[in-house]
Amino acid sequence: MNIVNATKTNISLAAKIIKSGGLVAFPTETVYGLGADGLNPIAVAKIFEVKKRPQFNPLILHISDLKMLYKITNYNSKLIDRLIKEFWPGPLTLVLPKKDIVPNIVTAGNPTVAIRMPDHKVALELIKKSGVPIAAPSANVFSKLSPTTAQHVENQLGEKVNLILDGGKCRVGVESTIIKIDNKGVELLRPGGIPIEEIEIYTGKLKRRTTSNKPAAPGQLPYHYAPSIPIAFLSRNSIFKNKKKKVGAIFFSEKKINYEFASVKILSEKKDLREAAANLFQYLHELENQKLDIILVEKVQEKGLGLAIMDRLKKAIRKYK
Ligand code: TXA
Ligand code: MG
């Protein structure tokens, strides 16, 4: 067990590990990240190794202040300044032109780099003390569920990371929204913790790319966030098809179907899509551990955080189709 509480002393210890090229899992407001010194290619390579992630998938650099931002990117755009002012710190990742100091392994050879300033005291403190941008994907094994507690990280990665900083449960619970801004316009690469409607107030309608097997951004791989047992959308038909099996069900706000499920989870009794997003991975983790045959999940409305929820679910479900 290498989980420690995110006290000042332990954050300092974690920063030392980062500076000496090690791996630290740390909390952010979205999900736990698997962090390494983002300017040290060898340290970054360890992330891919531990995650078993295909090398082509570029990483996000996490920063704690704007001085760090200008070290790794240069852009000249009032729109970008505005988005930063409105949404940072927070779950918005911006894909911007990279400076030479950013190693190619971070960007998978792209001339652009993904950057965000997390809205979490522990993450910000860790980055500040490390003095470098921290490269961090979600701290899960590639294509498995994203971790929203320190224990989730321990279960998947355990001793493969030098330290896991425990900062409690992640508030947002789904990864950041990613947008790419260049002279061709503003494009949504991944829906996430900030609803796109809030971003579109500043950017106008975002361009969308559809999922494909050969993605420009591997966040667009057709499946990516999947539990280790089959998962499908909940309907009378899917229940009927699985009636001989042990079925776990996830409903949005209430158990709407009168059926003896082996286990039932409610994402948000208040019908709050934010709360639902925050609970999603947690519930999938819990059901995954209950020896079920299949998980059936009710669809949610694709607006606000519902878009990110449905994006994660569709990707997980596609794996089992
Ligand atoms: O909330 C989050 O974003 C979490 C926490 C830890 O900050 N991180 C996270 O990282 O979700 P990861 O590696 O699981 O997802 C990063 C996504 C990938 O889908 C990657 O393809 C995309 O960002 N990405 C990174 N750099 C990019 C670039 N230069 N161009 C296009 N997409 C990029
Ligand atoms: Mg991930």
Side-chain angles (χ1 to χ4, degrees):
M1 251 322 240
N2 49 3
I3 300 182
V4 297
N5 277 329
T7 58
K8 273 215 149 51
T9 324
N10 285 333
I11 296 173
S12 297
L13 172 65
K16 276 197 195 125
I17 295 174
I18 294 281
K19 278 189 280 191
S20 61
L23 294 184
V24 172
F26 63 98
T28 79
E29 78 281 29
T30 58
V31 299
Y32 274 71
L34 176 62
D37 177 349
L39 303 182
N40 174 346
I42 311 268
V44 173
K46 288 186 194 161
I47 295 178
F48 291 102
E49 191 184 1
V50 163
K51 264 188 83 90
K52 305 197 179 88
R53 172 181 242 190
Q55 208 85 350
F56 56 73
N57 204 346
L59 303 172
I60 297 172
L61 288 184
H62 296 70
I63 58 169
S64 55
D65 58 51
L66 294 182
K67 238 174 94 190
M68 240 181 220
L69 175 70
Y70 305 131
K71 258 180 89 174
I72 55 180
T73 179
N74 53 11
Y75 62 85
N76 186 354
S77 154
K78 291 219 160 56
L79 175 61
I80 295 170
D81 287 331
R82 186 70 203 269
L83 292 171
I84 287 174
K85 193 157 165 266
E86 294 297 328
F87 297 107
W88 280 5
L92 176 67
T93 295
L94 301 173
V95 173
L96 299 173
K98 97 174 185 64
K99 280 192 177 170
D100 286 344
I101 190 176
V102 179
N104 278 315
I105 188 169
V106 170
T107 66
N110 281 297
T112 52
V113 57
I115 308 169
R116 85 179 192 97
M117 190 187 290
D119 186 15
H120 196 290
K121 274 212 298 229
V122 175
L124 290 172
E125 185 77 15
L126 175 66
I127 301 162
K128 206 169 129 203
K129 282 190 171 153
S130 303
V132 287
I134 294 187
S138 45
N140 53 306
V141 174
F142 179 69
S143 94
K144 294 264 165 65
L145 285 173
S146 292
T148 54
T149 64
Q151 192 58 51
H152 293 159
V153 181
E154 169 75 25
N155 296 347
Q156 288 196 34
L157 301 177
E159 302 298 315
K160 291 188 193 130
V161 280
N162 299 104
L163 197 72
I164 302 172
L165 283 176
D166 189 348
K169 186 180 160 186
C170 301
R171 175 170 58 76
V172 176
V174 288
E175 295 87 344
S176 58
T177 304
I178 306 179
I179 61 175
K180 182 174 179 184
I181 307 167
D182 56 24
N183 47 23
K184 286 185 241 128
V186 191
E187 185 181 12
L188 176 71
L189 298 184
R190 176 177 77 184
I194 304 255
I196 57 167
E197 295 87 337
E198 284 179 27
I199 299 167
E200 286 179 335
I201 295 173
Y202 305 96
T203 59
K205 199 101 192 118
L206 292 169
K207 287 190 290 175
R208 310 257 191 116
R209 219 179 284 184
T210 44
T211 310
S212 71
N213 271 314
K214 267 192 121 190
Q220 299 167 330
L221 281 171
Y223 59 85
H224 196 86
Y225 308 90
S228 56
I229 52 173
I231 174 164
F233 281 119
L234 189 142
S235 64
R236 289 191 189 279
N237 194 26
S238 65
I239 295 172
F240 183 76
K241 275 209 305 222
N242 292 289
K243 66 176 188 247
K244 295 214 173 81
K245 296 190 181 152
K246 259 184 100 176
V247 180
I250 301 180
F251 287 92
F252 175 47
S253 60
E254 59 181 316
K255 185 178 172 224
K256 287 201 193 107
I257 293 179
N258 191 7
Y259 180 83
E260 290 277 319
F261 295 105
S263 181
V264 173
K265 304 275 181 200
I266 307 293
L267 288 172
S268 170
E269 284 177 9
K270 291 188 294 210
K271 304 191 179 171
D272 175 1
L273 285 164
R274 257 175 222 278
E275 183 180 44
N279 286 328
L280 179 68
F281 285 125
Q282 173 66 28
Y283 289 169
L284 289 172
H285 278 287
E286 286 172 14
L287 292 178
E288 186 175 57
N289 292 330
Q290 285 181 18
K291 302 207 166 54
L292 301 166
D293 297 313
I294 187 164
I295 301 170
L296 298 180
V297 196
E298 187 182 15
K299 286 184 183 169
V300 301
Q301 259 189 312
E302 285 184 287
K303 63 168 208 208
L305 280 187
L307 188 65
I309 294 174
M310 286 295 284
D311 173 72
R312 305 303 186 271
L313 288 175
K314 283 180 191 166
K315 283 176 181 158
I317 286 168
R318 213 165 285 140
K319 178 171 175 180
Y320 292 103
K321 264 196 179 150

